Amino acid sequence: VDQPAIRPSRHRLRVVAVGDISASMRRVTVSAPTLTDLELAPAQDVGLVFADPAGREIRRRYTIRLVDRRAQTLSLEGILHGHGPGAAWFANVSPGAEIEAIGPRGKVALSEANWHLLAGDESALPAFAELMCIAPPGRPLIACVEVDGPEHEVDLGARAGQQIHWVHRNGADRGGSALLAAAIDGIAAPTGRGHVVLLGESRSVVTLRGVVSRIGIDGSQVFLKGYWNRTPGR
Ligand SMILES: Cc1cc2nc3c(=O)[nH]c(=O)nc-3n(C[C@H](O)[C@H](O)[C@H](O)COP(=O)(O)OP(=O)(O)OC[C@H]3O[C@@H](n4cnc5c(N)ncnc54)[C@H](O)[C@@H]3O)c2cc1C
């Protein structure tokens, strides 16, 4: 999928609805007419603009979901992981709030292939949902997603030919690669040329690139992006 050549710009978002879609993920729907008027590619993102204690601007990136051009709204889905300005905003936001965002950004996409593998942690769920929605009908797609337990799973809108393998941490630390590596090792790869998207903790996705090579996928057929950085000792 070719990305439109739209340069990121600043947009004012106004919150119109807030709701939980799992035990740890909150969907915030915003009115964003200057964004929904643009040609947005699936799974692009925006940087929400916050300020640090010294008043300096800091940004946190969230995937654009469920664009409704007629209503001029889109949704952002944030993990309530308990630390940082992004998670705090999702934990406390209510309708009527406003926030600035910079976007659209991002290049995650499905390349031409006979089948797709999407693997990552809960930060990747919004992007995976968007990619599953645009995947060609009937083309095999396997998603391996690590979350803490069943109550943290979200509806990814899987269609015929799309399988989801939920991998449960059961209280283990977030951001490791071992559980997803075992899940990837265990998939029955469909025939033909596969394409892989790896999104999640930065070091973990690099490790997982090595794992997908073991199931016969060439590095040129892997898109990987670190979505967050684990803090040592947390
Ligand atoms: C292109 C792109 C799209 C993204 N889309 C989404 C999205 O749609 N929804 C979403 O929730 N996230 C998404 N992310 C990830 C999100 O930007 C990061 O998780 C970001 O660090 C959150 O900022 P924060 O202020 O909550 O925490 P930070 O201030 O960045 O970090 C504070 C602490 O929290 C820890 N932490 C940060 N993120 C996580 C996490 N996901 N799980 C556990 N611990 C964490 C850090 O290790 C650190 O110790 C995306 C990232 C990118 C690059």
Side-chain angles (χ1 to χ4, degrees), residues 60-61 63 77 79 81 83-87 126 227 229 231 234:
R60 296 289 186 269
R61 292 173 73 174
T63 304
E77 296 169 352
I79 302 162
H81 63 82
H83 305 276
Y227 266 21
N229 299 312
T231 305
R234 174 168 286 155

Side-chain angles (χ1 to χ4, degrees), residues 25 45 50 60-64 76-79 81 83-88 106 121-124 126-127 174 225-231 234:
M25 186 164 262
D45 65 276
F50 305 101
R60 296 289 186 269
R61 292 173 73 174
Y62 288 89
T63 304
I64 297 169
L76 303 173
E77 296 169 352
I79 302 162
H81 63 82
H83 305 276
D121 62 26
E122 50 271 83
S123 67
R174 292 170 188 232
K225 175 132 184 88
Y227 266 21
W228 63 284
N229 299 312
R230 187 181 190 174
T231 305
R234 174 168 286 155

Side-chain angles (χ1 to χ4, degrees), residues 19-41:
D20 289 343
I21 57 168
S22 80
S24 55
M25 186 164 262
R26 186 158 290 171
R27 176 179 292 161
V28 174
T29 302
V30 296
S31 168
T34 57
L35 261 172
T36 57
D37 276 357
L38 301 176
E39 196 66 37
L40 301 170

